Amino acid sequence: MDLSAINPVLLIASLMVAATPLLLAAIGELVVEKAGVLNLGVEGMMIVGAIAGFATAVESGSPFLGFIAAAIAGAALSILFAILTQFAQANQVASGLSLTLFGLGLSALMGQSYVGVKPPRMGDIHIPVLSDLPVIGPILFGHDIILYFGIALTAAVWWVLKYSRLGLVLRAVGENHDAAHALGYKVLKIRLMAIMFGGACAGLGGAYISLIRVPQWTEGMTAGIGWIALALVVFASWKPWRALLGAYLFGGVTVVQLNLQAAGVAIPVEYLAMSPYLITILVLVILSADKSSAPAALGRNFHASR
Amino acid sequence: MKLTNLLTSAAVALGLAAGAALAEDKTKVGFVYVGPVGDGGWTYEHDQGRKAVEAEFGDKVETVYVENVAEGPDAERVMTQMALEGADLIFTTSFGYMDPTINVAKKFPNVKFEHATGYKRAENVSTYSARFYEGRAVQGTIAGHMTESNIIGYIGSYPIPEVIRGINSAYIHAKKVNPDVQFKIVWAFTWFDPAKEADAAKVLIEQGADVILQHTDSTAPQAAAQNAGNVITFGQASDMAEYAPKPRVSSIIDDWAPYYIARTKAVMDGTWESVDTWDGIGAGMVGIGEISDAVPADVKEAALAIKDSIADGSYHPFTGPLKKQDGSDWLAEGETADDGTLAGMNFYVEGLEGDIPQ
């Protein structure tokens, strides 16, 4: 065992990278669910965002354009879900599941000519002085811009939901759509916006995997991160900062267990391999002990005539 | 006039009947894949083999495949479905399909099954695998020469004999050319998860490894090595030449096409019987991808010498004296390991650190 081989600074820096796709997808889904819609298609939107962002970045040479394309692609796919559930009144669970299957197939089709292609690199930002600080520099000031965007987005979503009128209306729609409708709010329009926001966030999360975390395109490369994001929303009891905490915890334990293995720690590897799931569930279950529970209208379809 | 009409329609009818009869004669070959065909590694190569079968026999065969099949009950369902749909021969291409293959084979005695990398056979179940450890010997030689930090990172998938053999073979040959070399082994517990493979590669690089060997299926470790700069990797299962000349400096390539063609032919001829095939570099089932210019000429020469001596049978990668990790004797001077021991290998050789997950 050689724990000194683990560099805690690099470890924290890489756990933040591992957590970011999860965080982006979870924050998007959190807003969707706050509006009373359950979209299980996160994985599908992520993988479509991953290939759309990758292809755009490769063709244009700009990772930044890639991320924009990924957000648009994720949102576009989510519109399909919105049409099915909000206008055609289809079952939300079934529609979300089929969205994932559709997304996985569509992305494989779109990505056929991108296997083995190298994407342009998104440079880490470098702030003079701050980035060069020991310890704090690499952890806080040495990442790519999307990672900071993820944190800023969490803060923004938290503020909007808690303090703004928009957030109040969104929550009202999610808690009781009939009452919101009676007060004159456009329930379907607000839900449509929320679904598209969720799709855009999932798309960003997917592109973060294909452009920064891995970076390359391979079929099925999101490998279940979308599902973990869904679970994270529930365990975070629909609170943005807890989603951030959960994402970092999950990303952290994943990276730590790989580090411990490489350092030769004599804990059976199976325990290490399952530890991210166990610890995430454990901590989040403790967190969710307070009963600020799910939006009351979650998963229920709304029709004005009823 | 009437007569010609009648004759034409009769001829058409006959033609149709003949066509239908021909269609029935088609040999249907199924493939069950653990990853997506676009993984650029393991499953990709099996699918190349499938395409080779189609190219070889043209209209006489029909191939079907299902990708991303989880190892477990789901695999059994997929195989049953294939057998019910009239497959004559089914290739199941991952270690974890072993028991499902045996179970389904019992239910369909007239369907032939071929399981890759397993050890359980039956009347209608053959097993086949490639001696990847021969390729690992070549990789280990290059790795031992090339490492400057003397730390070599190894991404393992599951702790099964096939993977452990590879680790041992790579270590023995790296150690031979560089006595100071040290292996850091990380188990990913997946065959295919690019994000996790990339994380594993990054961790190994952060802990000082400047050579990464992998036994997982995606090219994510190559991408991570490329970002890190001064790290070399090897293509796994496929050539992964898109990362050459650096970080990918050589590769182990699985070439299943000749085997798949031969076995399909055997089913067509009715000569198929249950066999256990385990071929290596000599038979061409394991290929060594071109050693790139990033490797110095003398190292390349040494690696090719090992490759050639394995191919012509004059050298066995597991030749004594070798001890097990706990210090007990395994092979005496000049003794070579028998296939039985290799097939069930569940121990590290002396010098490797860490425990194999049980």
Side-chain angles (χ1 to χ4, degrees):
Chain A
M1 187 193 322
D2 181 17
L3 280 181
S4 63
I6 302 175
N7 181 335
V9 174
L10 289 177
L11 191 145
I12 295 173
S14 55
L15 82 81
M16 291 171 79
V17 172
T20 296
L22 191 56
L23 174 65
L24 284 167
I27 283 296
E29 178 66 13
L30 188 143
V31 170
V32 179
E33 292 190 14
K34 272 285 183 191
V37 181
L38 183 66
N39 185 355
L40 295 182
V42 180
E43 178 88 0
M45 298 185 295
M46 279 187 97
I47 191 87
V48 166
I51 182 57
F54 188 86
T56 310
V58 168
E59 299 302 339
S60 69
S62 160
F64 192 70
L65 277 182
F67 277 104
I68 292 175
I72 293 172
L77 194 63
S78 73
I79 290 177
L80 193 65
F81 173 82
I83 291 172
L84 284 172
T85 59
Q86 303 307 305
F87 300 106
Q89 299 283 315
N91 179 292
Q92 292 183 7
V93 171
S95 305
L97 289 175
S98 55
L99 194 70
T100 285
L101 296 176
F102 176 63
L104 286 170
L106 182 68
S107 64
L109 186 69
M110 287 163 70
Q112 270 173 350
S113 56
Y114 289 97
V115 175
V117 177
K118 281 167 246 170
R121 245 195 110 192
M122 181 106 170
D124 293 342
I125 58 164
H126 189 90
I127 310 162
V129 187
L130 283 181
S131 300
D132 300 326
L133 287 174
V135 186
I136 299 173
I139 293 177
L140 292 183
F141 303 109
H143 292 291
D144 55 275
I145 191 87
I146 306 296
L147 189 146
Y148 299 110
F149 176 77
I151 300 170
L153 191 70
T154 309
V157 164
W158 166 76
W159 188 87
V160 166
L161 285 178
K162 196 167 168 85
Y163 294 112
S164 77
R165 183 183 158 76
L166 177 66
L168 193 64
V169 173
L170 188 95
R171 282 188 286 142
V173 167
E175 291 298 337
N176 188 336
H177 48 220
D178 293 321
H181 176 67
L183 287 170
Y185 295 118
K186 303 265 184 279
V187 173
L188 290 186
K189 193 175 136 200
I190 289 162
R191 285 191 170 166
L192 177 67
M193 291 300 167
I195 291 169
M196 284 173 66
F197 176 80
C201 289
L204 280 179
Y208 194 87
I209 300 174
S210 65
L211 286 174
I212 294 177
R213 189 171 168 203
V214 173
Q216 60 169 204
W217 164 252
T218 330
E219 267 178 49
M221 68 184 306
T222 46
I225 293 174
W227 297 109
I228 297 170
L230 275 167
L232 199 59
V233 175
V234 178
F235 288 124
S237 43
W238 293 268
K239 290 189 166 63
W241 291 118
R242 286 187 188 176
L244 179 89
L245 183 70
Y248 276 24
L249 199 68
F250 187 84
V253 184
T254 308
V255 174
V256 168
Q257 71 96 354
L258 290 170
N259 263 292
L260 288 177
Q261 276 199 52
V265 172
I267 304 170
V269 189
E270 290 88 346
Y271 293 115
L272 293 175
M274 70 171 129
S275 57
Y277 306 92
L278 282 182
I279 296 186
T280 307
I281 289 171
L282 195 73
V283 170
L284 291 171
V285 163
I286 295 168
L287 281 182
S288 63
D290 82 286
K291 294 289 173 226
S292 43
S293 55
L298 185 59
R300 282 170 46 208
N301 280 347
F302 170 75
H303 193 276
S305 64
R306 275 204 289 256
Chain B
M1 195 69 180
K2 242 183 174 179
L3 186 69
T4 39
N5 265 347
L6 201 75
L7 280 176
T8 331
S9 49
V12 169
L14 266 175
L16 281 177
L22 269 181
E24 297 229 322
D25 277 353
K26 265 191 181 182
T27 304
K28 191 166 181 179
V29 188
F31 293 81
V32 185
Y33 298 144
V34 71
V37 293
D39 69 353
W42 176 259
T43 295
Y44 174 80
E45 288 299 330
H46 284 285
D47 200 51
Q48 292 300 308
R50 178 186 69 83
K51 286 177 180 160
V53 169
E54 285 205 324
E56 176 78 16
F57 300 108
D59 288 344
K60 283 186 271 174
V61 295
E62 181 191 350
T63 65
V64 288
Y65 69 89
V66 182
E67 52 186 338
N68 276 324
V69 178
E71 297 179 334
D74 209 31
E76 214 162 312
R77 181 182 62 77
V78 170
M79 289 169 205
T80 307
Q81 187 70 26
M82 271 186 185
L84 285 174
E85 281 169 6
D88 302 293
L89 172 65
I90 298 176
F91 292 96
T92 59
T93 66
S94 191
F95 181 77
Y97 297 156
M98 183 160 65
D99 291 329
T101 304
I102 297 289
N103 292 345
V104 178
K106 265 186 211 142
K107 286 184 262 169
F108 297 93
N110 293 326
V111 179
K112 317 291 185 216
F113 291 82
E114 299 254 355
H115 177 239
T117 73
Y119 52 81
K120 290 186 187 167
R121 285 168 56 208
E123 192 83 328
N124 59 336
V125 181
S126 279
T127 52
Y128 65 102
S129 183
R131 295 180 185 266
F132 308 111
Y133 67 87
E134 297 187 349
R136 297 277 171 199
V138 181
Q139 288 188 343
T141 306
I142 300 176
H145 277 295
M146 296 287 284
T147 180
E148 279 165 21
S149 64
N150 290 332
I151 298 174
I152 293 173
Y154 204 114
I155 306 170
S157 45
Y158 295 96
I160 56 174
E162 176 194 334
V163 180
I164 295 165
R165 266 197 315 271
I167 294 173
N168 283 332
S169 176
Y171 178 75
I172 290 166
H173 293 86
K175 188 92 175 169
K176 222 173 235 178
V177 298
N178 181 351
D180 297 328
V181 85
Q182 184 202 346
F183 268 41
K184 281 185 189 279
I185 300 159
V186 165
W187 296 96
F189 283 91
T190 174
W191 286 113
F192 178 79
D193 181 346
K196 196 166 187 188
E197 292 171 53
D199 285 347
K202 278 181 213 158
V203 161
L204 290 165
I205 293 166
E206 281 166 13
Q207 294 202 17
D210 61 355
V211 178
I212 303 284
L213 294 163
Q214 69 182 99
H215 206 131
T216 49
D217 296 345
S218 88
T219 49
Q222 276 71 24
Q226 193 162 46
N227 274 352
N230 208 22
V231 177
I232 62 165
T233 64
F234 296 83
Q236 160 70 12
S238 281
D239 195 40
M240 303 189 179
E242 60 268 27
Y243 288 95
K246 228 185 156 185
R248 168 239 172 259
V249 297
S250 184
S251 55
I252 304 181
I253 307 169
D254 312 341
D255 186 4
W256 306 109
Y259 183 77
Y260 285 173
I261 290 171
R263 301 305 283 171
T264 307
K265 185 106 185 28
V267 168
M268 288 172 164
D269 301 345
T271 57
W272 191 97
E273 50 187 31
S274 171
V275 291
D276 176 31
T277 306
W278 201 14
D279 283 336
I281 292 179
M285 203 179 244
V286 175
I288 300 295
E290 199 200 349
I291 299 172
S292 78
D293 298 339
V295 178
D298 56 326
V299 177
K300 185 172 174 175
E301 209 173 299
L304 289 177
I306 291 259
K307 179 194 161 192
D308 292 340
S309 64
I310 292 172
D312 66 23
S314 59
Y315 175 68
H316 191 291
F318 289 102
T319 305
L322 283 173
K323 288 185 174 186
K324 294 185 181 179
Q325 188 185 32
D326 57 15
S328 61
D329 289 328
W330 175 34
L331 296 173
E333 177 83 42
E335 191 187 349
T336 57
D338 61 281
D339 280 0
T341 314
L342 290 180
M345 187 175 267
N346 60 354
F347 57 88
Y348 283 148
V349 293
E350 187 180 38
L352 279 166
E353 284 163 27
D355 297 320
I356 299 170
Q358 294 302 328

